[in-house]
Amino acid sequence: MIAENTLETVSKQEKIAWVSLISTLLITGYFVSKMFDYDWQLGVYSYSMAKIVANSIFLGIVAELICAAIRRGPGADAVEDERDTQIRTRATIISYHFLVVLLAAAIGTLAFSPGLRLDFVTPLLVAYVLLAMLSATGIVKNVAEIVQYRRGV
Amino acid sequence: MTKTRITNRIKELRQASGPLTQEQLAALVGITRQTVIALEAEKYAPSLELAFKIARVFSVSVEDVFIYPDEPAPANPPAPR
């Protein structure tokens, strides 16, 4: 029997937040580990890069399918309500501030690091760094959502 | 986690009407069961629209379900002119 006054049961939106967090961590982990193998200088149009991107997209599609199954799955409760919207809005604000701090740190590093080798900072590397920032922001958003759900906001 | 200042009698009214389960109440007003749990724990203050919907389920007024405490009287009230 499920106790009525606990938050033990997980709502569909919280499940979706968990799936999103785990899939983002998996995709980011896979991408980063592969990029370390190629020393972060893999050409955009290379076969290896195409394989990495294809695998990442495949993982993303699997995650989306799981989320769709959760939305349509059993359970009489509504998929989303005003509290979910409020939690998502707060999480978006937190992740936005996180992204601003990351961008400021990246710009500061580029502008004020005397020892930085400019030949190392290729457009490709900048693109990868931006991608990493977006992934980190997504992770922060999912974590912020889960924390609010767990706290019972 | 801080509670909201708005207290409520949802659990009491739910148990008096049937009893109505959290899931049934959630379905009646179009919210998730977790939101009903958060409301009963007074950790979530509903929108005005949701407050009216909940009150309508129990056929009472909003003020019979939700209670907003009076502001404490100021220590030194301003002198009348």
Side-chain angles (χ1 to χ4, degrees), chain A residues 4-5 9 78 81-82 152, chain B residues 11 22 32-33 35 43-44 47:
Chain A
E4 274 204 333
N5 276 327
T9 50
D81 62 18
E82 60 177 47
Chain B
K11 191 175 181 183
Q22 289 176 329
T32 63
R33 184 170 161 261
T35 300
K43 288 177 175 174
Y44 176 67
S47 68

Side-chain angles (χ1 to χ4, degrees), chain B:
Chain B
M1 180 62 210
T2 54
K3 290 189 169 191
T4 84
R5 288 195 68 203
I6 301 170
T7 58
N8 67 72
R9 295 173 53 226
I10 294 175
K11 191 175 181 183
E12 183 190 330
L13 289 165
R14 197 167 54 73
Q15 284 168 347
S17 26
L20 200 65
T21 65
Q22 289 176 329
E23 201 153 9
Q24 286 168 330
L25 176 61
L28 284 170
V29 295
I31 57 175
T32 63
R33 184 170 161 261
Q34 284 69 31
T35 300
V36 176
I37 295 168
L39 282 167
E40 287 186 358
E42 292 166 358
K43 288 177 175 174
Y44 176 67
S47 68
L48 199 53
E49 189 182 355
L50 179 57
F52 273 108
K53 280 183 184 174
I54 292 169
R56 198 160 287 175
V57 166
F58 299 121
S59 306
V60 293
S61 70
V62 173
E63 286 184 318
D64 288 330
V65 186
F66 297 97
I67 302 114
Y68 189 70
D70 291 330
E71 295 287 339
N76 298 311
R81 292 187 176 188

Side-chain angles (χ1 to χ4, degrees), chain A residues 10-20 23 60-81 84 88 141-142 145 149, chain B residues 32:
Chain A
V10 178
S11 73
K12 288 179 176 178
Q13 285 304 315
E14 189 181 343
K15 284 179 193 161
I16 289 169
W18 274 107
V19 172
S20 184
S23 64
I61 290 170
V62 170
E64 270 308 307
L65 287 175
I66 295 170
C67 290
I70 291 168
R71 277 188 204 101
R72 289 162 186 239
D77 56 331
V79 173
E80 189 181 56
D81 62 18
D84 295 309
R88 203 175 50 239
K141 182 173 179 278
N142 291 142
E145 280 176 351
Y149 279 119
Chain B
T32 63

